[in-house]
Amino acid sequence: MTVTIYIPGDSGAVAVGADAVAEAISTEASRRGHDVHVVRNGSRGLYWLEPLVEISVEGRRIGYGPVAVADVPGLFDAVFLSGGDHAKGLGPVEEIDFLKRQTRLTFARCGIIDPRSLEDYEAHGGLAGLRAAAAMTPAEIVATVTESGLRGRGGAGFPAGIKWKTTLDAPGETKVVVCNADEGDSGTFADRMIMEGDPFVLIEGMAIAALATNASQGFIYIRSEYPHAIASMRRAIARARQAGVLGRPQREGGKAFDIEVRVGAGAYVCGEETSLLNSLEGKRGVVRAKPPLPAHHGFLGRPTVVNNVITLASVPIVLAKGAAFYRDFGMGRSRGTIPIQLAGNVRRGGLFETAFGITLGELVDDVAGGTFTGRPVRAVQVGGPLGAYFPRALFDTPFDYEAFAAKDGLIGHAGIVVFDDTVDMMAQARFAFEFCAIESCGKCTPCRIGAVRGAETIDKIRQGIEPEKQKALVTDLCQTMKFGSLCALGGFTPYPVMSALRHFPGDFGSPNRLQAAE
Ligand SMILES: Cc1cc2nc3c(=O)[nH]c(=O)nc-3n(C[C@H](O)[C@H](O)[C@H](O)COP(=O)(O)O)c2cc1C
Ligand code: SF4
């Protein structure tokens, strides 16, 4: 009997040796005369256990991890092909607490199916949403997505249905769906994980967006640092084309929709939608003033939907199960689930998809298990490099767009980066200015000049040059950047800076908290 072994081909798993483990397992199996079928699945998102090897035993998946090449002979000796006991044994993977506590809607198949197989995708519920959408009018699809409450997962949390309606109503012969897979935020990897682990769900989501807006042209803009995701999407697009999911009208009299992968050259600002469109058009990645909105005047002036990977990958389940099913998860105006990415100094780093409403403290202390170093958690940055730093005093904040905004923070792309008590928050504030200065597109003055002056001013605090005056200057500068910048790069840099200053004032001085303790 052939035994199926799952060894992630996800780049996070490959980075810690999954390719070598796959090779060692295949070699050892043939040496011992075992008949095995190795599937390079996506990651389950339990990164501290990667490479996580799973064996299919009587319909259950038994896990072993983290597996090293040196463990392989021992695993065979322990009869792991039948789920035998071993020091690296984890038991049934679905029973691992980190996974069991999740509500996986968008990531339902990630880590389970073979990402190269459209048949496997369909066998696990794939394409049901597209079929449902093909039987609906564009306005009905838009209404379903609007009623589901799905908001953009790229950062701004804008309702997806409203954006789609604007594009649907905009005049224009050719309409475009652009998937933003630039994923520049620090500590985030949900887009990459799903593109590598379940690429067809993104294709299906884009095909539904195309049906909803009468679009015929699609692009996925992926950062060049994601070669595995690029290969995965290109492979899946070719397969979808072959199967008629792309390149053929999905409804009678409808337009054929196709997708092309475009690779970004690695500028953070190219994740901003108008910069991204310039980059797609072969121009420099500079932000465009809005209006006009991309929905009216986007790629080459055509009405264009720009959505994040997770937004689009969440659409198939909305169409397959209905708006009410999705809307029933969550709190307030934050409906459905959110794939939260736990990173930085944590014991259990990974992807945790759950309904909105879980508190920051539960995520950091309980789900992630505190810090990797074992030291106390001091600060948590939520929402990427432009997100605020939260102290422990704010750990009761529920994961919800409005609740975070009320505490001068943002959810962004739902990346959480944890720091222990050795963090120097003045250095983090300086880093925010420095990051903005390096990544600024240069179009507007508050960002281009302000970020450089901000870093210089913090240097003066560190040098003990009139620190109180410099702190007042930083505050004033942040106000100017917040209200005077053209886009959120300059406009949101004040969030990390001001939150550091507000919540960790003892770090801003000369000597500061850490220097004084030395
Ligand atoms: C500086 C900057 C960087 C951004 N980077 C990304 C990114 O990497 N991925 C993304 O989806 N959105 C990013 N955004 C947000 C996009 O401009 C846009 O709001 C998003 O792609 C819309 O999709 P959504 O509504 O599905 O979230 C960025 C915005 C700014 C200002
Ligand atoms: S805020 Fe910065 S990145 Fe945004 S348009 Fe202005 S200069 Fe460019």
Side-chain angles (χ1 to χ4, degrees):
M1 198 187 69
T2 309
V3 178
T4 306
I5 309 179
Y6 295 86
I7 308 167
D10 172 280
S11 47
V14 168
V16 288
D19 281 352
V21 169
E23 171 115 30
I25 288 179
S26 297
T27 308
E28 193 70 13
S30 58
R31 200 176 69 76
R32 298 189 186 214
H34 293 296
D35 183 11
V36 299
H37 170 57
V38 174
V39 173
R40 302 304 302 271
N41 57 333
S43 174
R44 297 269 196 167
L46 284 62
Y47 277 110
W48 76 101
L49 294 176
E50 293 290 3
L52 169 58
V53 174
E54 296 177 39
I55 314 289
S56 179
V57 183
E58 291 165 7
R60 299 187 92 182
R61 301 266 284 257
I62 309 296
Y64 298 86
V67 174
V69 169
D71 296 322
V72 172
L75 283 165
F76 277 91
D77 293 344
V79 206
F80 86 130
L81 293 182
S82 324
D85 286 344
H86 185 274
K88 294 278 174 85
L90 301 163
V93 175
E94 305 288 344
E95 297 300 318
I96 298 173
D97 198 48
F98 189 91
L99 205 52
K100 207 174 167 186
R101 293 171 65 172
Q102 300 190 38
T103 303
R104 287 212 163 181
L105 304 184
T106 308
F107 281 77
R109 280 171 296 259
C110 194
I112 295 176
I113 62 164
D114 178 353
R116 295 173 186 237
S117 167
L118 185 59
E119 292 70 22
D120 210 6
Y121 178 67
E122 256 195 287
H124 286 80
L127 299 184
L130 182 60
R131 274 193 287 271
M136 296 160 84
T137 64
E140 285 167 347
I141 305 172
V142 166
T144 303
V145 173
T146 306
E147 281 163 25
S148 76
L150 177 65
R151 291 165 72 174
R153 302 288 190 247
F158 189 80
I162 294 178
K163 192 181 280 188
W164 290 17
K165 184 169 170 20
T166 313
T167 309
L168 171 66
D169 293 344
E173 194 42 44
T174 306
K175 297 185 181 177
V176 187
V177 176
V178 173
C179 170
N180 187 344
D182 200 48
E183 195 161 57
D185 281 2
S186 39
T188 65
F189 45 84
D191 296 353
R192 178 191 61 66
M193 224 181 100
I194 208 148
M195 288 190 288
E196 293 176 0
D198 191 11
F200 293 110
V201 78
L202 176 55
I203 293 173
E204 185 180 353
M206 290 181 72
I208 294 169
L211 279 174
T213 55
N214 289 323
S216 53
Q217 199 172 19
F219 294 100
I220 307 177
Y221 185 90
I222 313 182
R223 58 189 297 132
S224 60
E225 294 93 331
Y226 280 0
H228 292 78
I230 293 164
S232 171
M233 287 316 309
R234 287 202 166 129
R235 219 170 19 232
I237 288 168
R239 179 71 190 94
R241 223 175 260 149
Q242 196 185 37
V245 174
L246 293 176
R248 269 189 235 156
Q250 299 300 306
R251 72 159 82 86
E252 240 185 82
K255 289 186 172 172
F257 174 70
D258 212 337
I259 302 174
E260 199 183 308
V261 170
R262 291 280 179 91
V263 180
Y268 181 71
V269 78
C270 283
E272 193 282 332
E273 58 186 6
T274 61
S275 239
L276 186 154
L277 291 170
N278 273 337
S279 173
L280 266 186
E281 291 177 12
K283 299 174 185 151
R284 217 183 103 202
V286 180
V287 172
R288 297 178 185 170
K290 285 191 273 195
L293 295 170
H296 288 134
H297 193 91
F299 177 68
L300 297 177
R302 298 164 186 167
T304 304
V305 164
V306 183
N307 272 136
N308 171 254
V309 173
I310 302 300
T311 316
L312 290 161
S314 301
V315 164
I317 196 157
V318 169
L319 270 293
K321 300 219 168 170
F325 169 83
Y326 193 79
R327 198 184 48 221
D328 275 356
F329 297 94
M331 70 173 277
R333 288 176 46 221
S334 305
R335 310 310 314 173
T337 58
I338 174 100
I340 296 163
Q341 299 126 88
L342 300 164
N345 189 347
V346 281
R347 266 183 65 212
R348 292 186 287 271
L351 184 125
F352 192 85
E353 182 178 351
T354 187
F356 284 96
I358 188 169
T359 66
L360 183 57
E362 190 178 347
L363 283 163
V364 173
D365 293 330
D366 199 13
V367 177
T371 63
F372 181 76
T373 49
R375 299 181 69 92
V377 174
R378 182 143 189 270
V380 178
Q381 190 176 29
V382 185
L386 310 176
Y389 288 97
F390 276 41
R392 187 163 276 284
L394 296 181
F395 275 17
D396 60 349
T397 311
F399 229 76
D400 161 75
Y401 292 107
E402 281 65 42
F404 264 71
K407 304 267 171 73
D408 286 327
L410 51 117
I411 284 183
H413 190 43
I416 293 186
V417 180
V418 176
F419 297 83
D420 73 12
D421 61 348
T422 60
V423 66
D424 176 346
M425 295 306 295
M426 183 160 65
Q428 294 304 116
R430 189 194 189 282
F431 172 69
F433 278 132
E434 190 189 345
F435 178 82
C436 181
I438 292 169
E439 298 294 338
S440 170
C441 82
K443 183 146 177 164
C444 65
T445 316
C447 169
R448 188 185 64 244
I449 309 284
V452 178
R453 294 290 168 264
E456 289 169 359
T457 312
I458 289 190
D459 286 342
K460 285 186 187 157
I461 302 177
R462 170 113 36 224
Q463 290 154 14
I465 306 169
E466 300 181 285
E468 291 311 314
K469 195 174 144 192
Q470 310 306 337
K471 279 187 237 176
L473 253 178
V474 167
T475 307
D476 191 32
L477 177 63
C478 281
Q479 286 293 100
T480 306
M481 288 179 73
K482 187 170 173 182
F483 297 107
S485 297
L486 186 59
C487 87
L489 180 45
F492 283 21
T493 293
Y495 280 85
V497 174
M498 289 310 297
S499 58
L501 196 53
R502 190 178 315 121
H503 301 306
F504 306 94
D507 285 22
F508 289 76
S510 176
N512 75 356
R513 182 187 65 97
L514 292 170
Q515 289 161 334
E518 270 171 12

